[in-house]
């Protein structure tokens, strides 16, 4: 095997670590290019797992009903026949799960390399190999006493995103006034999983919770499925006690026994060590589009709080044009001041020194994400947006990041195609829900037909007014 291949986990470790956070595992081991081949099998496995959970519930219910009928001396043949049908379907589903896992293992097996016994395991491998007695597992809300153990766990865990940091809950509370609940799973003070959760409440949309709102990632992370289930159970119980309508878990891995949807993806690009290599890897069409912007005299500026006013000017106009309420400027001020992750602003100015295109970047570990990017519509003809994105990618390479996260898209949407042209690969997002009894999946998104008239009206408001009206509304739009 090529000695340049990464020193990865063996097959026994694969099912324990890979299936907890498959996309992050691939990115951690520089194998994101395999996502295209792996994702269909992951999706088949997830759907089969959900079906398995459904059949388990049905067979459990039937078993109780059959027992009650037999106890009462009544016939139960029809229910027994129905039970046999469900058990047969359950076997088929379990076979589908096994086939999907075998197919994934076959794809990854050529990349697996045995670890020499004298090598020190990587941090994420140490995490997966710890000998812990989970019978003593406890879940409780975050306290300062647990902070050091939380920080150590989050630093080592390959599943942990920026938004799993306890400080991010505090930042959202500071910016929007929402109450955070940060659940910590530990065994004798040794942290083995976390779940950040934000409770939102408004007259427009009622009371609900999201992990995590305003961003693409969240949900429970843990060393085992048992840990994740314990974290979710604690959050679900609290939601029921608080009479919330639902919880939305924004996961990078499937969450068993919870309904959801997979209609959104993130787009990730593996980065070389030098921007020159990336430039050569881009297609001729993309390079030509970037070059088309250069004669227009744009200047590129990269920094922090000193660029916030110019960023917000472009961002607010773009949000108005999209028909979307804008965040308060203080939200971005709080992010820059918090130093949770590495925040930067990339700004393009025209030859008159006016801001025309801007983005807000968040870096965490080896990944750089662009949650917000905006370009004034009048600059579409100049390809300023292409130069903005190239400037971000160039910056990411220079800063030593290994992955660039272009953000969320729907498959085959225009934003998906834009990101794909840069070489980015799709990473499946799994958004799952706990629903109050009788509840339905929420539809808080701009594609909901009942919001179309509101969007149309918002696009016709003056920008200064949207800066006043937007923040109180958008705080309830996760």
């Amino acid at each position: 095997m090529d000695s340049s291949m990464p020193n990865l986990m063996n097959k026994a470790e694969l099912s324990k670590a890979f299936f907890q956070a498959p996309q992050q595992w691939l990115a951690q081991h520089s194998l994101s290019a395999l996502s295209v081949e792996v994702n269909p099998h992951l999706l088949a496995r997830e759907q089969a797992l959900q079906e398995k959970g459904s059949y388990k519930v049905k067979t459990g219910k039937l078993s109780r009903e059959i027992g009650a009928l037999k106890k009462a001396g009544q016939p139960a043949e029809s229910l027994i026949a129905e039970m046999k049908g469900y058990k047969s379907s359950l076997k088929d589903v379990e076979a589908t799960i096994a086939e999907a896992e075998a197919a994934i293992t076959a794809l990854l097996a050529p990349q697996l390399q045995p670890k020499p016994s004298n090598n020190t395991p990587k941090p994420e491998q140490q995490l997966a190999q710890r000998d812990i007695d989970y019978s003593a597992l406890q879940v409780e809300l975050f306290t300062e006493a647990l902070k050091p153990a939380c920080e150590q766990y989050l630093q080592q865990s390959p599943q942990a995103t920026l938004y799993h940091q306890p400080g991010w809950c505090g930042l959202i509370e500071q910016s929007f006034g929402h109450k955070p609940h940060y659940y910590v799973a530990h065994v004798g003070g040794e942290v083995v999983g976390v779940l950040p959760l934000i409770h939102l409440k408004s007259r427009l949309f009622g009371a609900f919770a999201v992990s995590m709102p305003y961003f693409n990632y969240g949900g429970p992370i843990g060393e085992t499925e048992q840990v994740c289930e314990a974290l979710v159970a604690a959050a679900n119980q609290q939601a029921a006690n608080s009479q919330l309508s639902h919880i939305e878990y924004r996961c990078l891995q499937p969450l068993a026994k919870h309904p959801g949807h997979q209609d959104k993806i993130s787009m990730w690009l593996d980065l070389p060590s030098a921007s020159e290599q990336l430039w050569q890897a881009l297609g001729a069409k993309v390079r030509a589009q970037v070059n088309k912007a250069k004669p227009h005299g744009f200047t590129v500026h990269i920094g922090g709080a000193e660029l916030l006013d110019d960023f917000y000017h472009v961002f607010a106009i773009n949000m108005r044009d999209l028909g979307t309420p804008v965040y308060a400027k203080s939200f971005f001020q709080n992010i820059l001041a918090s130093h949770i992750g590495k925040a930067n602003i990339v700004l393009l100015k025209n030859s008159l020194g006016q801001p025309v295109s801007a983005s807000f970047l968040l870096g965490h570990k080896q990944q750089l994400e662009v949650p917000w990017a905006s370009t004034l519509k009048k600059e579409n003809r100049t390809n300023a947006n292409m130069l903005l994105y190239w400037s971000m990618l160039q910056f990411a390479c220079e800063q030593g990041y290994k992955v660039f996260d272009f953000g969320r898209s729907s498959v085959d949407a225009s934003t998906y195609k834009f990101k794909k042209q840069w070489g980015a690969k799709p990473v499946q997002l799994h958004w799952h829900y706990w629903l109050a009894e009788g509840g339905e999946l929420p539809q808080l998104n701009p594609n909901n037909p009942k919001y179309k008239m509101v969007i149309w009206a918002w696009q016709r408001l003056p920008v200064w007014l949207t800066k006043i009206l937007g923040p109180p509304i958008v705080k309830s739009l996760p």
Side-chain angles (χ1 to χ4, degrees):
M1 182 175 290
D2 186 345
S3 61
S4 66
M5 287 299 298
N7 188 21
L8 303 182
M9 301 178 184
N10 59 44
K11 291 184 180 181
E13 295 168 317
L14 181 62
S15 60
K16 187 174 182 180
F18 173 79
F19 287 115
Q20 289 182 24
Q23 304 301 341
Q24 287 172 289
W25 191 93
L26 290 172
Q28 185 78 24
H29 298 91
S30 301
L31 294 173
S32 295
L34 287 178
S35 293
V36 175
E37 297 176 74
V38 168
N39 281 348
H41 300 297
L42 281 175
L43 186 57
R45 177 179 180 269
E46 178 187 354
Q47 291 171 341
L49 284 170
Q50 291 181 353
E51 289 179 28
K52 180 180 178 180
S54 175
Y55 286 133
K56 287 278 191 181
V57 171
K58 290 175 181 176
T59 54
K61 182 180 178 182
L62 279 174
S63 180
R64 291 189 294 272
E65 291 176 354
I66 291 169
L69 287 174
K70 287 184 174 180
K71 189 175 181 180
Q74 297 179 10
E77 285 76 10
S78 62
L79 292 184
I80 292 173
E82 190 177 354
M83 172 74 87
K84 288 180 179 178
Y86 281 138
K87 285 187 174 180
S88 176
S89 297
L90 187 58
K91 286 183 180 179
D92 292 340
V93 166
E94 288 174 340
T96 299
I97 294 169
E99 288 173 5
E101 291 181 352
I104 291 169
T105 302
L107 286 168
L108 297 180
Q111 315 299 337
L112 299 174
Q113 179 176 325
K115 298 185 291 289
S117 58
N118 60 345
N119 276 6
T120 302
K122 296 179 181 179
E124 65 270 18
Q125 294 168 340
Q126 291 175 332
L127 201 61
Q129 293 174 349
R130 290 192 293 176
D131 186 15
I132 294 174
D133 179 12
Y134 287 101
S135 65
L137 180 67
Q138 291 181 285
V139 175
E140 61 180 276
L141 291 174
F142 176 84
T143 63
E144 284 297 317
L146 287 169
K147 185 176 180 179
C150 276
E151 289 178 344
Q152 181 181 5
Y153 171 75
L154 292 168
Q155 180 60 35
Q156 292 179 342
S157 172
Q159 303 174 52
T161 70
L162 176 61
Y163 314 108
H164 286 96
Q165 302 293 322
W168 208 262
C169 284
L171 190 148
I172 289 178
E173 182 178 27
Q174 176 190 11
S175 302
F176 299 100
H178 300 313
K179 186 177 181 181
H181 293 257
Y182 192 90
Y183 296 91
V184 181
H186 67 91
V187 177
E190 185 173 5
V191 173
V192 292
V194 300
L195 169 59
L197 194 69
I198 303 294
H199 285 208
L200 297 90
K201 188 175 183 180
S202 74
R203 293 180 181 178
L204 283 173
F205 306 111
F208 59 100
V210 183
S211 177
M212 289 284 285
Y214 317 117
F215 298 96
N216 299 330
Y217 311 119
I221 58 171
E223 294 190 24
T224 67
E225 187 175 345
Q226 176 189 354
V227 172
C228 291
E229 288 178 352
L231 288 163
V232 169
N236 292 352
Q237 185 60 56
Q238 179 60 40
N241 294 343
S242 302
Q243 297 183 319
L244 302 187
S245 62
H246 67 273
I247 299 177
E248 182 174 80
Y249 295 105
R250 299 182 174 182
C251 308
L252 273 165
Q253 60 275 352
L255 188 59
K257 303 175 186 177
H258 286 71
H261 54 78
Q262 293 80 38
D263 56 353
K264 297 290 184 181
I265 55 171
S266 279
M267 297 293 285
W268 292 7
L269 173 65
D270 287 335
L271 298 172
S273 57
S275 59
E276 292 81 5
Q277 292 173 268
L278 180 59
W279 179 255
Q280 292 303 319
L282 296 176
K285 183 179 178 181
V286 173
R287 293 198 299 268
Q289 289 176 317
V290 174
N291 287 330
K292 183 181 174 182
K294 293 180 179 179
H296 293 279
F298 296 121
T299 55
V300 180
H301 307 263
I302 300 177
E306 74 281 4
L307 300 178
L308 180 57
D309 287 346
D310 285 338
F311 162 81
Y312 194 72
H313 169 78
V314 177
F315 180 69
I317 294 173
N318 191 54
M319 290 297 100
R320 189 280 310 271
D321 291 345
L322 291 172
T324 303
V326 68
Y327 295 120
K329 189 194 294 186
S330 58
F331 178 38
F332 302 103
Q333 289 173 330
N334 293 340
I335 294 174
L336 289 165
S338 71
H339 302 295
I340 305 171
K342 299 176 182 178
N344 286 98
I345 292 172
V346 180
L347 180 74
L348 262 63
K349 292 184 179 181
N350 62 18
S351 58
L352 300 176
Q354 299 165 331
V356 297
S357 186
S359 62
F360 199 102
L361 302 176
L362 291 172
H364 179 64
K365 295 183 178 177
Q366 294 185 323
Q367 187 158 323
L368 185 65
E369 178 186 1
V370 54
W372 305 284
S374 300
T375 298
L376 300 181
K377 284 197 301 185
K378 66 180 182 180
E379 297 297 333
N380 287 348
R381 62 179 181 81
T382 66
N383 276 24
N385 198 48
M386 295 297 292
L387 181 57
L388 175 71
Y389 270 83
W390 169 244
S391 299
M392 288 190 282
L393 292 170
Q394 201 171 18
F395 174 75
C397 291
E398 291 170 354
Q399 296 299 309
Y401 290 104
K402 301 301 182 186
V403 177
F404 186 84
D405 183 349
F406 282 83
R408 187 171 79 232
S409 295
S410 298
V411 176
D412 290 332
S414 58
T415 53
Y416 167 82
K417 294 173 182 176
F418 173 83
K419 297 164 186 176
K420 185 180 178 182
Q421 70 180 336
W422 295 94
K425 303 297 183 183
V427 174
Q428 184 66 58
L429 299 178
H430 304 273
W431 288 17
H432 292 276
Y433 297 86
W434 169 87
L435 302 172
E437 188 173 352
E440 298 181 353
L441 291 179
Q443 294 292 328
L444 293 181
N445 65 74
N447 295 324
N448 190 328
K450 70 180 182 179
Y451 298 136
K452 285 188 176 180
M453 185 59 69
V454 177
I455 292 171
W456 179 88
W458 195 269
Q459 290 170 326
R460 283 148 183 82
L461 294 177
V463 175
W464 66 265
L465 185 57
T466 66
K467 291 180 181 179
I468 297 172
L469 299 178
I473 297 173
V474 78
K475 66 183 289 186
S476 301
L477 296 173

